[in-house]
Structures are given as C-alpha cells and as structure tokens.
Amino acid sequence: MDFPKFKAATVQTSPVFLNVEKTIDKAISLISEAAANGAKLIAFPEVFVAGYPYWNWIMTPVHGSAWYEKLYRNSVAADGPEMTRIFNAAREYNIQIVIGMNERGDSYGEIYNTNLIIDSNGNLIGKHRKLVPTWAEKLTWTSGDGSSLKVYKTEIGPIGTLACGENTNTLARFTLLSQGELIHIANYISLPVAPPDYNMAEAIKIRAAAHSFEGKLFTIVSCSTISQEIMDAMKADVPDAEELLTRKNSAFSGFIGPNGAVIGEPLIDEEGIVYAEIDLAKCIQPKQMHDILGHYNRFDIFDLRVNVTPRKNITFIDNNEDFFGR
C-alpha cells in the first residue's frame, strides 16, 4: 500500500479586504511561490476570499448591517468565474489547494463560510460549508449541512477540512477520521477580540494537536492576519478599531504530526508561508497503540449516525401528481 511523501505549504496572511479580484491575485502569487519551492499542497485561511466580518464583534448588529451588504456583494459562487482563476492556478502549478471563501447562497441574502478542495488538475473536487457559525458569526453566515462532511481522495492522500471553531466539534472530527482522513486542513481567522485571558494562537495549536493525536494524522493550520487596511476600514464606524483588533498571540499557522507535536517553526502573528515535509507512512505505527477507528474503540457500545442528506429549502410537487410523485 502506498503512503505518499510530499512537501506542503501553509499561508498566514490577510486578504485584500472585501476585494475579490485583488485577493485572488494575491492567492495566485502565493500559489506560484509555494509551487516554486516544491509544495504539492497549499492551505489558505478561513474565508480568505475576501474577508471576515470583524464588524460583528466591534459594532452592534444594526450598526454593522451595512457591512453585511458589502460582504454579500463580495461573496462568490464556489464554481463561479472568480474562483475559476484559482482552479486554473492549481492546474498550472500542479498543486492541491484548500482555500476559504464567502460563498453566495441562492436567496440573495445567505452567505456560507466555505472551504474549497481543488486538485492539481484544477478540478473542484469538494467543498465544506461550516456547520455552525461561531458566536457573533451567526449574524453573517448560514449553517452548512452534513453533506459536506467528506474526505477527498487525492494523489497526495485523503484530505478533509473544517473551519475555525468547528475543529472543536468532536463528532464532526470523528466523521472525517472515519472516512480515512490522513491530511486535515484546519483554517482560521485571527481573533484578537476574544476574552482577555484567551490565547487564540495557543487555542488553535491545542485543537490541531488534539485532532492529530487522536486520529494519528497530519493537521495543517492556516490562519489569517488583520491588516492595517482592515483596521482602517473599520475606523470610520469604530474610532478605536485598531485598539480592539490588535493583540499578540492571535494567529497560529503551521503543521502538527501524528504524535500531536508541532513540526518545525510555526508562524505566530507574523505573515508568511511555512513548509513541511509530510510522510503519511508516519500515520501507521501510532495506531498500534490507539486506533480510535479500529481496535481502540467499542462500536458495540458507541453508535454515531451522520445525516449526509443535502438540505433543501423547498420541494416542488406537480399538481398532477400526488405527494409521492405518482
């Protein structure tokens, strides 16, 4: 059985705030750089295209409502022409890409926090919509459904992904592990508005280490940063926005191995790309001790059922048919 070895890259940076085209330009530049350095996989932050709703945290819901419209206007379809440029870059540079985006829904109002999984042939092979927006995020995003809790087979190995706080959801993580996940992409945003005693960077690392140690797999973390551009944009409505959005230890990006330990030097708050050599064969031996998907579990006691049916907002029935379509 083949267990691939490859070089991976993860990005810690900010988007060009609420500007889809320029953010995609930036993403393609980073993809080109990572590929030139030998990477076969690159991970981007949560909702990198094209920004996070920080106004939810520092404005009242009424005050921040105008910003919601701005975000909606800068949300895009997962397979739309804007994202096609990313697909083409994956093919051109022969690299797998996982990238977060604001995905426009069908109601002219709903937005999903979505991660796209793109293979090295430029195919969109999957997307995951965040299941539950976290805390103030509920003012912006619609919840996803179980149909996107999938692991995708690629030439470098099986990839799964969860966005930000849902990496604390034990059942969601187990659902991915049970499908043979060996590469987990956990992407985040910098969140300096957390409670004063909350170390966001450390919390991100703990979550990633927990998933890697429990599942005996590699976790790749990509986190955004808050640029001066973002803070300046908020100042017109919140004069002390810069103070509210600036705090150390708010972003962590890096790699965690199957033993739960950090690989190499992660990025804390600083922007950049970091790399690691991934050898999926290292996921085998640790399972001899604790394989929660096999011998180290009791499925005669525990039974997890996952509804993977896509949610439908409406079902149309022809007047000439009865309820059962006859």
Side-chain angles (χ1 to χ4, degrees), residues 207-233:
R207 290 170 183 155
H211 189 58
S212 278
F213 187 80
E214 289 174 1
K216 314 307 180 191
L217 80 169
F218 288 88
T219 296
I220 302 173
V221 180
S222 176
C223 187
S224 64
T225 58
I226 302 178
S227 64
Q228 188 66 46
E229 176 198 24
I230 294 172
M231 293 185 286
D232 288 345

Side-chain angles (χ1 to χ4, degrees), residues 52-69:
Y52 179 84
Y54 284 105
W55 52 88
N56 287 350
W57 299 92
I58 62 175
M59 300 180 196
T60 67
V62 173
H63 196 187
S65 182
W67 285 93
Y68 177 85
E69 180 175 343

Side-chain angles (χ1 to χ4, degrees), residues 1 33 70 110 115 120 193 282 322:
M1 185 175 182
E33 179 181 344
K70 293 178 183 179
E110 64 184 355
N115 285 342
S120 59
V193 291
K282 292 183 178 179
D322 65 18

Side-chain angles (χ1 to χ4, degrees), residues 137-309:
E137 294 172 358
K138 292 178 174 68
L139 291 168
T140 293
W141 291 316
T142 299
S143 296
D145 59 45
S147 66
S148 71
L149 277 175
K150 293 181 179 179
V151 171
Y152 300 93
K153 300 294 178 64
T154 74
E155 64 187 25
I156 59 170
I159 296 175
T161 182
L162 293 172
C164 200
E166 64 180 348
N167 284 284
T168 63
N169 188 325
T170 304
L171 301 185
R173 294 191 296 105
F174 188 86
T175 300
L176 295 181
L177 293 175
S178 69
Q179 297 174 68
E181 183 186 46
L182 292 180
I183 307 161
H184 181 74
I185 310 297
N187 57 5
Y188 289 82
I189 48 86
S190 175
L191 191 64
V193 291
D197 59 348
Y198 190 82
N199 185 322
M200 181 68 173
E202 185 65 16
I204 292 172
K205 184 178 74 172
I206 289 170
R207 290 170 183 155
H211 189 58
S212 278
F213 187 80
E214 289 174 1
K216 314 307 180 191
L217 80 169
F218 288 88
T219 296
I220 302 173
V221 180
S222 176
C223 187
S224 64
T225 58
I226 302 178
S227 64
Q228 188 66 46
E229 176 198 24
I230 294 172
M231 293 185 286
D232 288 345
M234 299 286 101
K235 284 180 183 178
D237 291 295
V238 183
D240 61 344
E242 188 162 350
E243 179 183 349
L244 294 171
L245 295 175
T246 303
R247 188 170 73 175
K248 291 183 177 180
N249 297 314
S250 292
F252 173 100
S253 295
F255 302 85
I256 309 291
N259 60 355
V262 176
I263 301 170
E265 290 295 326
L267 290 170
I268 307 294
D269 295 334
E270 299 298 322
E271 294 202 350
I273 307 178
V274 286
Y275 300 88
E277 297 291 339
I278 305 295
D279 180 359
L280 295 187
K282 292 183 178 179
C283 299
I284 303 172
Q285 191 277 331
K287 288 180 177 286
Q288 185 176 16
M289 296 175 284
H290 306 115
D291 183 3
I292 62 173
L293 306 169
H295 65 79
Y296 207 70
N297 218 322
R298 289 290 302 276
F299 295 111
D300 57 327
I301 300 173
F302 305 113
D303 180 14
L304 174 62
R305 302 184 185 192
V306 182
N307 181 2
V308 297
T309 304

